[in-house]
Amino acid sequence: MLKIDFIAPYPENNSIPIKAEISSGKITVLYGPSGCGKTSILRCLAALINPLSGSIEMESKVWFNSANNKKTTAQMRKTAFVFQDLALFPNLTVEGNLKAANPAISNEELQQIILDFSLAGLNHRKPATLSGGEKQRLALARSLAMNSSLILLDEPFASLDIGLKYQMYHYVKQLAEVHRKHVILVSHDVHEVIQIADAIIAWTENEFIVSDEVSSTLQRVLGNELWKKLSGQSAKIKL
Amino acid sequence: MENIDWRPLQLSLELALSSSIILLLLCVPIVFFIHKQRGFFRTLSESLIMIPLVLPPTVIGFYLLLFFAPDSSIGHFLSLLNIQLLFSFEGLIVASVIYSLPFMTQPLLSGLDSLSPSISEAAYTMGYSKWGTFVKFILPNIKPALLSGMVLSFAHTMGEFGVVLMIGGNIPGETRVASLAIWDEVEQLQYGTAHVYSALLFGISFGIIFLSLLLNRSRIKSKVL
């Protein structure tokens, strides 16, 4: 269980309070319009920035607590962060990228991940030579190779076409359901939320609300009329 | 050809090589620090290191002459350490490093700026220290910029004239580099010798730039294959 209760910093002296309990084996989508501070929250979780105050507790380990000045670094937390631009290491091959994420990974584990994410045959290729979908799969595979129980996805599928998006949803589902990871996906795309979310943290009226009821929360956030239109266009597909 | 003094060319090559190596070692940490800065301080530091690009070489030479003079505080301090920079090869190296600074810093800065900051952040979340990230993921990804910086500063130092004349004083066998030798030979109407020096400088400079472009091209190819 990931317990968060903190105030994230935001440019121009704003701050974003958030309180949630996030379970493993589920995909929790952090939903809100661009610029509401979703990425700042993710960066706080990875210790790339520090919250202004509050606490973060991961599986009973305190990662951050402003009350007793407890802070852990990004290197200590080792959260698997999939960035918007994927942040694949250009100088390393597919295999090199996976090994860099976890130098202690066994060859068997490595080969299994390569198979699971359909990267077989690409082992010795560098990221610049991969297609968009292959790069996305490598980024997700790398997050699994890290062996972290928290996977943070910062809108990595925003630039993909719809077909590739559905492929990626399948892999993200695997991370949560098969590998029992805590998966948090940042998104501003309602259709994506409908397809993939098991739980939602949604931005509405200047605060984040947390719920396992994805549809009703979206309805509340979007308003009845818009919800009817959008949910009608996006029937949930079995991934 | 038998009467040609090859020492000026040898000095030019030694000067260019030692200056580029020192510049590489010096500029990597400086540029990495500047790259991390934002706003006014970054603009200020970039402007400072770019000054040699626009300043007449004689201005740099004149101020270095004043700084290194024995009656200046720096010159006095250096003389206590038994270091003589004026009219010496070591002085030429210091002057060349200052004069060619932007030719190393600019490619490095562009290389670092073109790398996504998320590369470093991804490495931190994987447990790599700042130093480990720099060595394993930053330096290997700016290799073309490092090569460009080396080539440009080498070629630029080979062609220096004003600064080396003012700091070195054109002493044969000591500070008389190829560019100064050409000037001397032309003054003495020895066009044949001037031709040899000039053609060799042209050939060396062209060869170095051509080789570096070839290397960069093969690097791009190997990225794709």
Side-chain angles (χ1 to χ4, degrees):
Chain A
M1 178 77 77
L2 170 67
K3 293 181 185 172
I4 56 178
D5 181 4
F6 62 80
I7 297 175
Y10 201 61
E12 291 164 17
N13 300 325
N14 290 320
S15 55
I16 316 144
I18 182 164
K19 184 175 181 176
E21 290 192 353
I22 292 156
S23 322
S24 63
K26 276 184 179 178
I27 299 169
T28 304
V29 175
L30 197 51
Y31 170 76
S34 296
C36 75
K38 306 182 294 289
T39 297
S40 297
I41 289 169
L42 233 51
R43 292 171 69 78
C44 281
L45 293 175
L48 294 173
I49 54 172
N50 277 319
L52 296 173
S53 62
S55 63
I56 304 172
E57 202 177 291
M58 177 67 176
E59 289 168 342
S60 306
K61 282 183 201 145
V62 179
W63 275 359
F64 179 86
N65 194 334
S66 58
N68 54 20
N69 211 18
K70 164 102 181 167
K71 279 177 195 168
T72 49
T73 61
Q75 284 87 349
M76 289 156 88
R77 288 188 205 175
K78 286 194 177 181
T79 54
F81 200 122
V82 181
F83 291 82
Q84 225 163 22
D85 64 3
L86 306 178
L88 300 171
F89 301 128
N91 59 317
L92 300 179
T93 59
V94 166
E95 208 171 287
N97 266 277
L98 295 172
K99 281 183 180 166
N102 180 2
I105 195 166
S106 71
N107 201 37
E108 289 75 30
E109 279 176 290
L110 187 74
Q111 294 313 319
Q112 192 57 52
I113 290 174
I114 285 174
L115 279 178
D116 287 350
F117 286 85
S118 311
L119 294 167
L122 305 174
N123 302 27
H124 302 296
R125 297 255 300 266
K126 287 192 175 168
T129 69
L130 301 177
S131 70
E134 288 164 349
K135 283 180 192 169
Q136 300 276 345
R137 293 206 299 274
L138 173 57
L140 291 177
R142 198 173 66 169
S143 73
L144 180 62
M146 274 185 73
N147 208 16
S148 166
S149 42
L150 177 58
I151 296 180
L152 305 169
L153 306 158
D154 187 10
E155 301 196 68
F157 315 132
S159 60
L160 294 186
D161 64 56
I162 191 75
L164 270 180
K165 272 189 187 181
Y166 277 97
Q167 278 184 31
M168 295 309 140
Y169 296 160
H170 162 76
Y171 291 111
V172 176
K173 280 267 176 200
Q174 281 203 335
L175 291 175
E177 291 169 6
V178 179
H179 300 281
R180 308 303 297 168
K181 305 287 185 187
H182 300 77
V183 178
I184 304 179
L185 170 75
V186 159
S187 181
H188 64 265
D189 178 353
V190 178
H191 302 291
E192 189 161 88
V193 183
I194 293 170
Q195 291 305 325
I196 204 170
D198 299 313
I200 186 168
I201 303 173
W203 176 258
T204 181
E205 291 159 15
N206 292 326
E207 62 168 350
F208 277 106
I209 54 169
V210 184
S211 174
D212 282 342
E213 300 297 325
V214 178
S215 301
S216 57
T217 309
L218 277 177
Q219 195 169 359
R220 182 179 152 193
V221 170
L222 297 169
N224 280 337
E225 205 170 312
L226 189 55
W227 167 246
K228 264 184 198 169
K229 272 188 193 168
L230 290 173
S231 60
Q233 289 169 7
S234 186
K236 189 160 182 167
I237 295 168
K238 188 162 172 55
L239 296 166
Chain B
M1 289 288 268
E2 284 162 18
N3 300 328
I4 288 175
D5 177 13
W6 297 109
R7 185 74 180 136
L9 273 169
Q10 193 190 333
L11 277 177
S12 279
L13 285 169
E14 282 172 14
L15 179 65
L17 191 66
S18 37
S19 303
S20 339
I21 292 171
I22 292 171
L23 273 168
L24 183 73
L25 299 174
L26 189 73
C27 289
V28 168
I30 292 178
V31 167
F32 193 65
F33 174 75
I34 294 174
H35 163 71
K36 291 280 175 195
Q37 310 303 315
R38 289 288 169 269
F40 178 75
F41 186 75
R42 169 149 183 175
T43 315
L44 181 75
S45 30
E46 266 194 82
S47 311
L48 269 173
I49 55 171
M50 276 175 74
I51 282 181
L53 268 184
V54 289
L55 218 53
T58 42
V59 174
I60 297 173
F62 173 66
Y63 280 118
L64 288 176
L65 207 58
L66 292 185
F67 279 135
F68 298 155
D71 55 351
S72 75
S73 47
I74 296 175
H76 180 67
F77 175 71
L78 290 173
S79 66
L80 289 178
L81 300 172
N82 222 8
I83 298 172
Q84 167 66 35
L85 290 182
L86 276 189
F87 311 119
S88 70
F89 187 71
E90 290 75 19
L92 285 192
I93 294 178
V94 174
S96 302
V97 164
I98 295 170
Y99 187 49
S100 295
L101 197 69
F103 291 85
M104 180 63 83
T105 53
Q106 282 314 304
L108 289 188
L109 208 49
S110 306
L112 280 175
D113 286 343
S114 67
L115 268 189
S116 165
S118 60
I119 299 261
S120 302
E121 292 181 336
Y124 299 156
T125 60
M126 289 170 190
Y128 292 92
S129 64
K130 285 190 174 177
W131 175 248
T133 301
F134 182 68
V135 172
K136 207 168 161 57
F137 304 113
I138 304 297
L139 275 184
N141 285 311
I142 57 162
K143 266 188 202 162
L146 291 169
L147 185 66
S148 298
M150 281 289 279
V151 167
L152 285 177
S153 40
F154 186 94
H156 187 241
T157 310
M158 286 289 288
E160 266 178 46
F161 182 82
V163 177
V164 289
L165 180 64
M166 292 190 80
I167 293 296
N170 201 6
I171 304 168
E174 181 73 30
T175 60
R176 187 176 178 249
V177 292
S179 56
L180 297 181
I182 294 169
W183 174 256
D184 281 348
E185 298 302 334
V186 171
E187 270 204 318
Q188 291 162 31
L189 303 177
Q190 300 290 328
Y191 284 6
T193 318
H195 256 312
V196 173
Y197 288 145
S198 303
L200 280 170
L201 273 190
F202 178 86
I204 291 168
S205 305
F206 174 79
I208 289 164
I209 291 179
F210 183 70
L211 256 178
S212 78
L213 289 177
L214 268 187
L215 276 173
N216 263 345
R217 183 175 280 194
S218 64
R219 188 183 303 281
I220 292 166
K221 254 189 184 172
S222 74
K223 254 187 177 179
V224 175
L225 293 174

PDB file of all heavy atoms in Angstrom, chain A residues 2-21:
ATOM      1  N   LEU A   2       0.554   2.188  -0.883  1.00  0.00           N
ATOM      2  CA  LEU A   2       1.253   3.475  -0.911  1.00  0.00           C
ATOM      3  C   LEU A   2       0.316   4.518  -0.292  1.00  0.00           C
ATOM      4  O   LEU A   2      -0.800   4.712  -0.768  1.00  0.00           O
ATOM      5  CB  LEU A   2       1.587   3.854  -2.361  1.00  0.00           C
ATOM      6  CG  LEU A   2       2.098   5.275  -2.607  1.00  0.00           C
ATOM      7  CD1 LEU A   2       3.474   5.488  -1.988  1.00  0.00           C
ATOM      8  CD2 LEU A   2       2.167   5.579  -4.109  1.00  0.00           C
ATOM      9  N   LYS A   3       0.781   5.130   0.802  1.00  0.00           N
ATOM     10  CA  LYS A   3      -0.048   6.149   1.462  1.00  0.00           C
ATOM     11  C   LYS A   3       0.574   7.512   1.228  1.00  0.00           C
ATOM     12  O   LYS A   3       1.744   7.716   1.574  1.00  0.00           O
ATOM     13  CB  LYS A   3      -0.117   5.875   2.970  1.00  0.00           C
ATOM     14  CG  LYS A   3      -0.864   4.604   3.326  1.00  0.00           C
ATOM     15  CD  LYS A   3      -0.888   4.431   4.825  1.00  0.00           C
ATOM     16  CE  LYS A   3      -1.535   3.104   5.176  1.00  0.00           C
ATOM     17  NZ  LYS A   3      -1.418   2.777   6.603  1.00  0.00           N
ATOM     18  N   ILE A   4      -0.199   8.393   0.627  1.00  0.00           N
ATOM     19  CA  ILE A   4       0.330   9.740   0.385  1.00  0.00           C
ATOM     20  C   ILE A   4      -0.606  10.785   0.982  1.00  0.00           C
ATOM     21  O   ILE A   4      -1.825  10.666   0.924  1.00  0.00           O
ATOM     22  CB  ILE A   4       0.560  10.020  -1.123  1.00  0.00           C
ATOM     23  CG1 ILE A   4      -0.718   9.818  -1.941  1.00  0.00           C
ATOM     24  CG2 ILE A   4       1.635   9.123  -1.677  1.00  0.00           C
ATOM     25  CD1 ILE A   4      -0.545  10.144  -3.426  1.00  0.00           C
ATOM     26  N   ASP A   5       0.002  11.746   1.590  1.00  0.00           N
ATOM     27  CA  ASP A   5      -0.755  12.852   2.185  1.00  0.00           C
ATOM     28  C   ASP A   5       0.220  14.039   2.237  1.00  0.00           C
ATOM     29  O   ASP A   5       0.943  14.207   3.216  1.00  0.00           O
ATOM     30  CB  ASP A   5      -1.219  12.460   3.598  1.00  0.00           C
ATOM     31  CG  ASP A   5      -2.035  13.572   4.236  1.00  0.00           C
ATOM     32  OD1 ASP A   5      -2.298  14.594   3.560  1.00  0.00           O
ATOM     33  OD2 ASP A   5      -2.406  13.427   5.419  1.00  0.00           O
ATOM     34  N   PHE A   6       0.289  14.769   1.135  1.00  0.00           N
ATOM     35  CA  PHE A   6       1.284  15.850   1.104  1.00  0.00           C
ATOM     36  C   PHE A   6       0.811  17.023   0.250  1.00  0.00           C
ATOM     37  O   PHE A   6      -0.218  16.944  -0.436  1.00  0.00           O
ATOM     38  CB  PHE A   6       2.639  15.341   0.613  1.00  0.00           C
ATOM     39  CG  PHE A   6       2.657  14.788  -0.798  1.00  0.00           C
ATOM     40  CD1 PHE A   6       2.719  15.617  -1.905  1.00  0.00           C
ATOM     41  CD2 PHE A   6       2.641  13.403  -1.017  1.00  0.00           C
ATOM     42  CE1 PHE A   6       2.759  15.108  -3.198  1.00  0.00           C
ATOM     43  CE2 PHE A   6       2.686  12.883  -2.302  1.00  0.00           C
ATOM     44  CZ  PHE A   6       2.740  13.732  -3.396  1.00  0.00           C
ATOM     45  N   ILE A   7       1.578  18.079   0.334  1.00  0.00           N
ATOM     46  CA  ILE A   7       1.299  19.251  -0.506  1.00  0.00           C
ATOM     47  C   ILE A   7       2.461  19.385  -1.488  1.00  0.00           C
ATOM     48  O   ILE A   7       3.620  19.556  -1.083  1.00  0.00           O
ATOM     49  CB  ILE A   7       1.143  20.527   0.344  1.00  0.00           C
ATOM     50  CG1 ILE A   7      -0.070  20.369   1.268  1.00  0.00           C
ATOM     51  CG2 ILE A   7       0.975  21.757  -0.541  1.00  0.00           C
ATOM     52  CD1 ILE A   7      -0.271  21.493   2.252  1.00  0.00           C
ATOM     53  N   ALA A   8       2.135  19.232  -2.762  1.00  0.00           N
ATOM     54  CA  ALA A   8       3.195  19.298  -3.784  1.00  0.00           C
ATOM     55  C   ALA A   8       3.434  20.747  -4.174  1.00  0.00           C
ATOM     56  O   ALA A   8       2.492  21.534  -4.235  1.00  0.00           O
ATOM     57  CB  ALA A   8       2.779  18.492  -5.009  1.00  0.00           C
ATOM     58  N   PRO A   9       4.706  21.091  -4.435  1.00  0.00           N
ATOM     59  CA  PRO A   9       4.976  22.472  -4.866  1.00  0.00           C
ATOM     60  C   PRO A   9       4.534  22.661  -6.314  1.00  0.00           C
ATOM     61  O   PRO A   9       4.480  21.704  -7.083  1.00  0.00           O
ATOM     62  CB  PRO A   9       6.500  22.578  -4.754  1.00  0.00           C
ATOM     63  CG  PRO A   9       6.985  21.185  -4.948  1.00  0.00           C
ATOM     64  CD  PRO A   9       5.919  20.267  -4.426  1.00  0.00           C
ATOM     65  N   TYR A  10       4.240  23.871  -6.651  1.00  0.00           N
ATOM     66  CA  TYR A  10       3.808  24.164  -8.011  1.00  0.00           C
ATOM     67  C   TYR A  10       4.292  25.563  -8.366  1.00  0.00           C
ATOM     68  O   TYR A  10       4.373  26.424  -7.495  1.00  0.00           O
ATOM     69  CB  TYR A  10       2.272  24.061  -8.102  1.00  0.00           C
ATOM     70  CG  TYR A  10       1.807  23.848  -9.518  1.00  0.00           C
ATOM     71  CD1 TYR A  10       2.207  22.723 -10.213  1.00  0.00           C
ATOM     72  CD2 TYR A  10       1.000  24.781 -10.149  1.00  0.00           C
ATOM     73  CE1 TYR A  10       1.809  22.523 -11.522  1.00  0.00           C
ATOM     74  CE2 TYR A  10       0.591  24.580 -11.461  1.00  0.00           C
ATOM     75  CZ  TYR A  10       1.007  23.448 -12.137  1.00  0.00           C
ATOM     76  OH  TYR A  10       0.630  23.252 -13.434  1.00  0.00           O
ATOM     77  N   PRO A  11       4.654  25.798  -9.626  1.00  0.00           N
ATOM     78  CA  PRO A  11       5.186  27.125  -9.976  1.00  0.00           C
ATOM     79  C   PRO A  11       4.246  28.273  -9.574  1.00  0.00           C
ATOM     80  O   PRO A  11       3.053  28.063  -9.380  1.00  0.00           O
ATOM     81  CB  PRO A  11       5.328  27.055 -11.495  1.00  0.00           C
ATOM     82  CG  PRO A  11       5.433  25.614 -11.812  1.00  0.00           C
ATOM     83  CD  PRO A  11       4.633  24.900 -10.777  1.00  0.00           C
ATOM     84  N   GLU A  12       4.825  29.423  -9.479  1.00  0.00           N
ATOM     85  CA  GLU A  12       4.113  30.670  -9.125  1.00  0.00           C
ATOM     86  C   GLU A  12       3.449  30.583  -7.764  1.00  0.00           C
ATOM     87  O   GLU A  12       2.290  30.996  -7.574  1.00  0.00           O
ATOM     88  CB  GLU A  12       3.089  31.026 -10.211  1.00  0.00           C
ATOM     89  CG  GLU A  12       3.770  31.447 -11.507  1.00  0.00           C
ATOM     90  CD  GLU A  12       2.825  31.431 -12.689  1.00  0.00           C
ATOM     91  OE1 GLU A  12       1.607  31.413 -12.469  1.00  0.00           O
ATOM     92  OE2 GLU A  12       3.333  31.425 -13.819  1.00  0.00           O
ATOM     93  N   ASN A  13       4.189  29.975  -6.828  1.00  0.00           N
ATOM     94  CA  ASN A  13       3.779  29.948  -5.419  1.00  0.00           C
ATOM     95  C   ASN A  13       2.469  29.219  -5.144  1.00  0.00           C
ATOM     96  O   ASN A  13       1.852  29.404  -4.103  1.00  0.00           O
ATOM     97  CB  ASN A  13       3.689  31.375  -4.844  1.00  0.00           C
ATOM     98  CG  ASN A  13       5.035  32.068  -4.922  1.00  0.00           C
ATOM     99  OD1 ASN A  13       6.067  31.417  -4.765  1.00  0.00           O
ATOM    100  ND2 ASN A  13       5.015  33.350  -5.193  1.00  0.00           N
ATOM    101  N   ASN A  14       2.028  28.412  -6.100  1.00  0.00           N
ATOM    102  CA  ASN A  14       0.830  27.608  -5.833  1.00  0.00           C
ATOM    103  C   ASN A  14       1.248  26.297  -5.188  1.00  0.00           C
ATOM    104  O   ASN A  14       2.410  25.916  -5.205  1.00  0.00           O
ATOM    105  CB  ASN A  14       0.098  27.311  -7.139  1.00  0.00           C
ATOM    106  CG  ASN A  14      -0.545  28.564  -7.687  1.00  0.00           C
ATOM    107  OD1 ASN A  14      -1.084  29.360  -6.927  1.00  0.00           O
ATOM    108  ND2 ASN A  14      -0.463  28.748  -8.985  1.00  0.00           N
ATOM    109  N   SER A  15       0.290  25.590  -4.643  1.00  0.00           N
ATOM    110  CA  SER A  15       0.593  24.285  -4.071  1.00  0.00           C
ATOM    111  C   SER A  15      -0.603  23.376  -4.299  1.00  0.00           C
ATOM    112  O   SER A  15      -1.736  23.834  -4.472  1.00  0.00           O
ATOM    113  CB  SER A  15       0.893  24.415  -2.587  1.00  0.00           C
ATOM    114  OG  SER A  15      -0.184  25.051  -1.953  1.00  0.00           O
ATOM    115  N   ILE A  16      -0.317  22.067  -4.323  1.00  0.00           N
ATOM    116  CA  ILE A  16      -1.377  21.109  -4.636  1.00  0.00           C
ATOM    117  C   ILE A  16      -1.466  20.084  -3.505  1.00  0.00           C
ATOM    118  O   ILE A  16      -0.567  19.264  -3.354  1.00  0.00           O
ATOM    119  CB  ILE A  16      -1.052  20.345  -5.948  1.00  0.00           C
ATOM    120  CG1 ILE A  16      -0.534  21.305  -7.007  1.00  0.00           C
ATOM    121  CG2 ILE A  16      -2.245  19.563  -6.438  1.00  0.00           C
ATOM    122  CD1 ILE A  16       0.535  20.703  -7.872  1.00  0.00           C
ATOM    123  N   PRO A  17      -2.544  20.116  -2.714  1.00  0.00           N
ATOM    124  CA  PRO A  17      -2.676  19.089  -1.674  1.00  0.00           C
ATOM    125  C   PRO A  17      -3.229  17.795  -2.271  1.00  0.00           C
ATOM    126  O   PRO A  17      -4.072  17.829  -3.162  1.00  0.00           O
ATOM    127  CB  PRO A  17      -3.678  19.704  -0.696  1.00  0.00           C
ATOM    128  CG  PRO A  17      -4.414  20.734  -1.466  1.00  0.00           C
ATOM    129  CD  PRO A  17      -3.626  21.086  -2.690  1.00  0.00           C
ATOM    130  N   ILE A  18      -2.739  16.671  -1.801  1.00  0.00           N
ATOM    131  CA  ILE A  18      -3.255  15.380  -2.268  1.00  0.00           C
ATOM    132  C   ILE A  18      -3.176  14.366  -1.133  1.00  0.00           C
ATOM    133  O   ILE A  18      -2.207  14.345  -0.374  1.00  0.00           O
ATOM    134  CB  ILE A  18      -2.486  14.873  -3.518  1.00  0.00           C
ATOM    135  CG1 ILE A  18      -3.088  13.556  -4.008  1.00  0.00           C
ATOM    136  CG2 ILE A  18      -0.997  14.732  -3.267  1.00  0.00           C
ATOM    137  CD1 ILE A  18      -2.690  13.169  -5.404  1.00  0.00           C
ATOM    138  N   LYS A  19      -4.242  13.569  -1.003  1.00  0.00           N
ATOM    139  CA  LYS A  19      -4.258  12.529   0.029  1.00  0.00           C
ATOM    140  C   LYS A  19      -4.895  11.296  -0.596  1.00  0.00           C
ATOM    141  O   LYS A  19      -6.005  11.368  -1.147  1.00  0.00           O
ATOM    142  CB  LYS A  19      -5.091  13.010   1.225  1.00  0.00           C
ATOM    143  CG  LYS A  19      -5.088  12.035   2.378  1.00  0.00           C
ATOM    144  CD  LYS A  19      -5.825  12.605   3.575  1.00  0.00           C
ATOM    145  CE  LYS A  19      -5.755  11.582   4.691  1.00  0.00           C
ATOM    146  NZ  LYS A  19      -6.355  12.062   5.924  1.00  0.00           N
ATOM    147  N   ALA A  20      -4.181  10.167  -0.565  1.00  0.00           N
ATOM    148  CA  ALA A  20      -4.728   8.952  -1.193  1.00  0.00           C
ATOM    149  C   ALA A  20      -4.028   7.708  -0.657  1.00  0.00           C
ATOM    150  O   ALA A  20      -2.915   7.796  -0.122  1.00  0.00           O
ATOM    151  CB  ALA A  20      -4.536   9.028  -2.707  1.00  0.00           C
ATOM    152  N   GLU A  21      -4.717   6.584  -0.778  1.00  0.00           N
ATOM    153  CA  GLU A  21      -4.096   5.291  -0.475  1.00  0.00           C
ATOM    154  C   GLU A  21      -4.171   4.473  -1.758  1.00  0.00           C
ATOM    155  O   GLU A  21      -5.250   4.285  -2.317  1.00  0.00           O
ATOM    156  CB  GLU A  21      -4.835   4.606   0.671  1.00  0.00           C
ATOM    157  CG  GLU A  21      -4.599   5.322   1.981  1.00  0.00           C
ATOM    158  CD  GLU A  21      -5.062   4.527   3.191  1.00  0.00           C
ATOM    159  OE1 GLU A  21      -5.696   3.464   3.000  1.00  0.00           O
ATOM    160  OE2 GLU A  21      -4.791   4.973   4.310  1.00  0.00           O
TER     161      GLU A  21
END
